[in-house]
Amino acid sequence: MIYLVAILFPPLALLIYGKIFQAIFSLLLCILAILVGFIWLFFAGAPGLIIWGIAAVHAILAINAAKKDARTRAIIDAMKAE
């Protein structure tokens, strides 16, 4: 579910995972994508979609890294508890 949110609205997905600075960067990318999309609307709008895709991929990779970090922390804590 979070990956779907990351594709549709990348900054929100990053904020959910507590990545504030990455969410701000992603928000700037999304705003740029919308602006470029409106400018290029008469020329097929592809650059806006490409920029949005970059923001979505960035959000997906950041969320995946956060999940891996949490998993690693859990394993380390379990090993320390023994």
Side-chain angles (χ1 to χ4, degrees):
M1 183 67 177
I2 192 70
Y3 292 114
L4 181 62
V5 174
I7 292 170
L8 297 177
F9 195 63
L12 178 63
L14 290 168
L15 279 176
I16 290 172
Y17 268 84
K19 305 285 187 180
I20 296 171
F21 293 112
Q22 290 180 354
I24 292 170
F25 175 72
S26 184
L27 181 64
L28 292 174
L29 277 176
C30 289
I31 290 171
L32 180 66
I34 291 169
L35 290 175
V36 170
F38 282 134
I39 292 170
W40 283 83
L41 187 63
F42 301 107
F43 302 108
L49 292 176
I50 291 170
I51 296 172
W52 192 276
I54 291 169
V57 168
H58 170 258
I60 289 170
L61 291 175
I63 290 168
N64 192 20
K67 284 185 174 185
K68 284 182 182 179
D69 289 344
R71 221 174 303 140
T72 303
R73 270 186 251 118
I75 291 171
I76 290 172
D77 290 342
M79 290 175 67
K80 285 182 181 179
E82 290 180 5

